[in-house]
Amino acid sequence: MNKYPLKKIRDDFPILSSKINNHNLVYFDNAATTQKPKSVIDSISNYYKNYNANIHRGIHTLAEKATEEFEQTRSLIKNFIGASSTKEIIFTRGTTEGLNLISSSLAKFHLKEGDEIIISEMEHHSNIVPWQMIANSNKLTLKVIEVSKEGEINIDHFKSLITDKTKLVSLVYISNTLGTINPVQNIIKICSQHNIISVIDGAQSSAHKKINVKSLNCDFYVFSAHKMYGPTGVGVVFGKEKILEKMPPYMGGGEMIKDVSFSKTSYNDLPYKFEAGTPNIGDVIGFKEAIKYIEDIGIENIESHEISLKKYAEKALNNIDGIKIVGTAKNKIGIFSFITKNVHYYDLGLLLDAKGIALRTGHHCTQPLMDKFDLDGTARLSLAIYNTTDEIDYFVDSLIKLMKR
Amino acid sequence: MTTTQTQNDIVEDFKVLEEDFEMTLNYLMEIGEKMDDYDEELKSDDNLVKGCQSKVWLSHELKGGKIFFSGDSNTSITKGLLSLLIKIFSGQTPEDILNTKLYFINKTGLCRFIGTQRSNGLEAMENKFKIIALSNK
């Protein structure tokens, strides 16, 4: 492996050279959203400057160019996650919309009264509420896999929840709060043995791990562009073609139709059946550059950089007296939720912000998980490709000073 | 002292901080620490003003037509903000409380504690003072 081009990477992200409250920005809120490289920002601007047009229906040159660029993103994503066909790649506004698309559509034809759905205690609200909504409307039962005090899924408990009524399992790959990497491969295998549909929330995994939906063999994999150096407002649902074919549309409108009359409408083919209305063209095009950016560095190189950063941060945090890390799974990424003995996380977040350090505080949209750990929130540090050990040193140093006040 | 006079004093006190964020936070925590102890028994749901990330408790007594407030927060910075509001509103009549516009916020660099960010609940705190005033009118 070549030397990791950290300096070049940092130079590629214009925001990283900005000053926050008179300090150099230290951006540790990557699990909420990552920063964007110049290539992404420029490509969005280039679209609006040079070939803005609505896609798929236009016959003029600009529409052709916009359609081509848009569809190139779809092909690139297909290859990036190892899908079989671009028919399996549906654009959404983000992971949340993706999960809502899957749940609403499946609620219309597959999930019937008495059926059971399994999620886990560590799910983001986005992977709880959509299932609760259809559980209420369709009279389904929602079952929840237990999480250990270290923040790991209890596989035996999962197995014990499966009955002949279990129709679907929806699980987060990497927890946004704990950083735990779940054994999704194992879970998916069990699902397919029992003919259960598997949905993987890939919001936190797609920028940090090599993803191959074929080897995972999941039925659905959902993620967002903005957590992988791309723009906000774009997400992807991967779904196996044979299931997507059977699923009814999520929304009605333009693009998703073949023919419309007042007596009957026939729907378009995949993936367009699920893409009603004018999509977020400029940002989908920007997303292409984000994928290229990740591929240029190499996901394996990113992974090894982030693993060494994680180990460095873990060691440093463990050396601080009066700090408790929430989520100590053996297999985890560089996400550290923590509380301190004497400083409330809200004060901590503001005081660190005054030092130029951006991190997240609160319940991280995982309130049931917080209840489980008897907390109302934590401070959370989350690492990405451009973070450095110097930044971790500065953070730890600032944190120790604040805790000594 | 009128609410205007108190607000002017606060604006004057904050001037030395030159809107430096770190100094402002430290100052808020200092004035929060100086608040009178708050009875644990008063930390009830009725007295709770729930922000997204911090808790505030506010209670009051009515003496001679004027309202006297006391309160606490589980976070130091919010407690500092609360102490400013208590300083402004305590000892005022319900009418005066309801008629007060909190202009000091914009003149002290504290604007980031109100408005679009839900996390701190300065606005929720102000509302709680005014609801108490309204119910004692």
Side-chain angles (χ1 to χ4, degrees), chain A residues 117-124 127-128 131 142-147 152-154 157-158 161 169-173 175 178 182 187 368-369:
Chain A
I117 293 173
I118 299 175
I119 58 173
S120 87
E121 279 183 326
M122 69 167 86
E123 299 311 316
H124 188 281
N127 199 25
I128 301 173
W131 305 113
L142 194 60
K143 290 182 166 179
V144 185
I145 313 169
E146 276 169 10
V147 168
E152 290 170 334
I153 289 273
N154 181 339
H157 185 240
F158 165 62
L161 295 178
V169 172
S170 190
L171 185 72
V172 68
Y173 195 158
S175 158
L178 308 169
N182 282 319
I187 301 253
L369 187 66

Side-chain angles (χ1 to χ4, degrees), chain A residues 27 119 150 161 181 186-187 189 196-197 200 207 212 277 279 291 305 316 326-327 342 367 371 404-405:
Chain A
Y27 189 76
I119 58 173
E150 290 78 22
L161 295 178
I181 304 171
N186 195 2
I187 301 253
K189 202 174 151 199
I196 298 167
I197 290 178
I200 301 300
N212 187 301
I291 302 269
H305 169 71
V326 181
N342 56 346
Q367 277 181 319
D371 289 345
K404 276 194 188 138
R405 282 176 48 88

Side-chain angles (χ1 to χ4, degrees), chain A residues 21-23 344-348 350-351 353-355 361-363 367 376 402 405, chain B residues 20-22 25-26 29 33 52-55 74-78 112-113 119-120:
Chain A
N21 297 314
N22 303 320
H23 295 275
H344 189 277
Y345 59 82
Y346 172 73
D347 292 328
L348 206 69
L350 284 171
L351 290 164
D353 180 46
K355 301 274 188 201
T361 59
H363 55 57
Q367 277 181 319
D376 63 355
L402 294 180
R405 282 176 48 88
Chain B
D20 178 276
F21 189 48
E22 191 167 8
L25 295 177
N26 285 325
M29 290 196 291
E33 277 167 21
C52 186
Q53 296 195 20
S54 56
K55 286 178 182 166
N74 64 340
T75 79
S76 307
I77 293 162
T78 309
R112 69 173 285 169
F113 290 100
S119 55
N120 54 79

